[in-house]
Amino acid sequence: MGEGGREDREGGGARTHRHKHTQPKSAPLPCIAQNWHLTTLTEETAGGRLCPSPAHEEAPVRVMAPSGPSSVKRRCRRCLYWIPVLFISIIVCWSYYAYVIQLCIVSMGNLGEKVLCLIAYHFFVILFVWSYWKTIFTLPMNPAKEFHLSYADKELIEREPRGESQQDVLRRLAKDLPVYTRTMSGAIRYCDRCQLVKPDRCHHCSVCDKCILKMDHHCPWVNNCVGFSNYKFFLLFLAYSLVYCLFIVATDLQYFIKFWTNGLPDTQAKFHIMFLFFAAAMFSVSLSSLFGYHCWLVCKNRSTLEAFRSPIFRHGTDKNGFSLGYSKNLRQVFGDEKKFWLLPVFTSLGDGCSFPTCLVNQDPEQASTPTGTNLAAKSVETHPFPAKPLRESQSHLLTDTQSWTESSCNGEKGKLGMSNPALTIEKET
């Protein structure tokens, strides 16, 4: 009985195989694709080989076709993002030719002045290009794996979106994480695209399509996100580009006036020197305002996003929540070693996932009080910032109880960052 059943199944498989070859177009396309898949498995298991007909090969081609145009469009978009960087690079290369060749070598007659200008110019241009390079090609840092949801938590959130189970998952994850900021509705900051709990000062970049630690902004002139990993490089890029332009304006001014008043003969250098002065002067005006604004942000320990929308803590909105004073704010970006402050090497303090804040030891019972500024001042007075260096206190901001003064209550530190039963979960992108 068993042998007969086996023979019937094998015979049926053979008849099905012959039927497909004699009448390949008798069945609809989905059935052909399904039978093709099943027949392939059967024949491979039996040790046979199947030679599909052209009708069987159409299904996979039709499925893969739509991905082609979107991939080409994505590549074209990435190429377009490099146009501002290419524009800046062309301007810098032309300015090098105009200053070194046309101004210094051709137009300057005094040898001492020529040598001095060439040495100073190359010093500034090296620092400018170095910091610009580091700003462009330093990859933005992403949240650590502790902030990402596990596979089981992802399935739970996808199965019951915005439900009580989702709130429980995010509360459980945020309980042991150094997370103090909230959404406008008081919920835990969660990115549904990256599927992670957002660290403080972290935001999702729509251009990079990823969450960036301490995101300041996405700069098209560097085709990169300016954040925790390259914010110091960006500041130095602004500073050295401003110095570069001011140096060109200062040394080119007398020759610009001579050409303008026809004090020098009309040569090929006239166009380069005059246009170089105008370009450097215009860039100096825009760079001075932008550099001054970011210097103000560093002194206040804010990012560009936080300047437009103040961070929200459990007690409410506080624009000075991360400010530790001028000196500590400066060291957070440039580091403790002053000898590296003016060099485009990474010396920023911390890990980018947690930041010291004057509100870190605030009493959770005062969370509903709307006067966030007064509470911040009170918190600084009663719980001063630890004398321990920032480098040692940032990584374990919540768990390291020895990094705070003895006046801090252990119970209060244990409660901070834990779940609030009244929280509602809000997805941010």
Side-chain angles (χ1 to χ4, degrees), residues 218-416:
H218 186 93
C219 182
W221 299 106
V222 299
N223 190 27
N224 198 3
C225 259
V226 178
F228 175 76
S229 61
N230 61 349
Y231 187 64
K232 177 190 174 182
F233 307 148
F234 178 74
L235 284 174
L236 293 179
F237 158 63
L238 294 179
Y240 289 131
S241 59
L242 177 59
V243 173
Y244 176 76
C245 292
L246 291 177
F247 176 78
I248 290 177
V249 170
T251 54
D252 188 27
L253 178 60
Q254 58 175 326
Y255 298 94
F256 170 79
I257 295 175
K258 290 179 181 179
F259 276 117
W260 187 266
T261 58
N262 295 324
L264 293 176
D266 291 338
T267 58
Q268 184 182 3
K270 180 178 181 178
F271 166 78
H272 293 283
I273 291 176
M274 295 184 67
F275 189 75
L276 180 65
F277 179 84
F278 279 120
M282 288 187 296
F283 276 109
S284 299
V285 174
S286 58
L287 286 171
S288 60
S289 59
L290 186 59
F291 178 66
Y293 174 71
H294 278 277
C295 288
W296 177 79
L297 290 177
V298 171
C299 295
K300 297 293 184 180
N301 204 341
R302 301 177 195 168
S303 65
T304 302
L305 295 177
E306 292 168 351
F308 285 96
R309 186 175 64 182
S310 301
I312 303 172
F313 298 88
R314 294 182 61 179
H315 72 279
T317 303
D318 194 327
K319 61 182 180 180
N320 296 318
F322 294 105
S323 181
L324 308 172
Y326 172 77
S327 177
K328 293 185 177 69
N329 294 343
L330 203 61
R331 293 209 309 269
Q332 251 195 13
V333 176
F334 291 96
D336 291 327
E337 313 236 353
K338 294 184 179 180
K339 60 183 178 181
F340 296 119
W341 279 15
L342 299 181
L343 295 178
V345 293
F346 183 80
T347 55
S348 300
L349 300 181
D351 56 2
C353 293
S354 61
F355 297 91
T357 169
C358 58
L359 308 172
V360 87
N361 290 315
Q362 186 188 346
D363 188 356
E365 295 180 359
Q366 300 177 353
S368 60
T369 306
T371 57
T373 307
N374 296 333
L375 287 175
K378 181 179 178 181
S379 176
V380 173
E381 294 176 0
T382 57
H383 305 287
F385 188 79
K388 203 171 185 181
L390 292 176
R391 187 182 299 276
E392 300 176 15
S393 63
Q394 279 187 338
S395 298
H396 305 285
L397 194 56
L398 290 179
T399 57
D400 190 3
T401 57
Q402 296 179 354
S403 64
W404 304 102
T405 57
E406 295 179 358
S407 61
S408 303
C409 180
N410 292 334
E412 293 176 352
K413 285 184 288 187
K415 292 178 183 178
L416 282 173

Side-chain angles (χ1 to χ4, degrees), residues 58 83 104 110 115 156 177 197 206-207 213 307 321 327 353 378 407:
E58 293 178 359
I83 291 180
C104 292
N110 190 333
V115 173
L156 184 60
L177 295 175
V197 176
S206 59
V207 180
L213 294 180
S327 177
C353 293
K378 181 179 178 181
S407 61

Side-chain angles (χ1 to χ4, degrees), residues 6-21:
R6 181 171 57 84
E7 292 175 357
D8 291 339
R9 286 194 298 272
E10 292 177 354
R15 286 193 296 270
T16 304
H17 178 66
R18 289 194 299 270
H19 175 70
K20 286 183 179 182
H21 280 279

Side-chain angles (χ1 to χ4, degrees), residues 38-64:
L38 294 176
T39 307
T40 303
L41 294 178
T42 305
E43 293 294 337
E44 287 178 355
T45 305
R49 297 179 60 119
L50 178 63
C51 182
S53 64
H56 297 153
E57 298 176 347
E58 293 178 359
V61 174
R62 292 182 180 180
V63 172
M64 296 299 294

Side-chain angles (χ1 to χ4, degrees), residues 209-223:
D209 196 22
K210 62 180 68 174
C211 285
I212 309 299
L213 294 180
K214 196 187 176 184
M215 179 177 174
D216 188 88
H217 68 288
H218 186 93
C219 182
W221 299 106
V222 299
N223 190 27

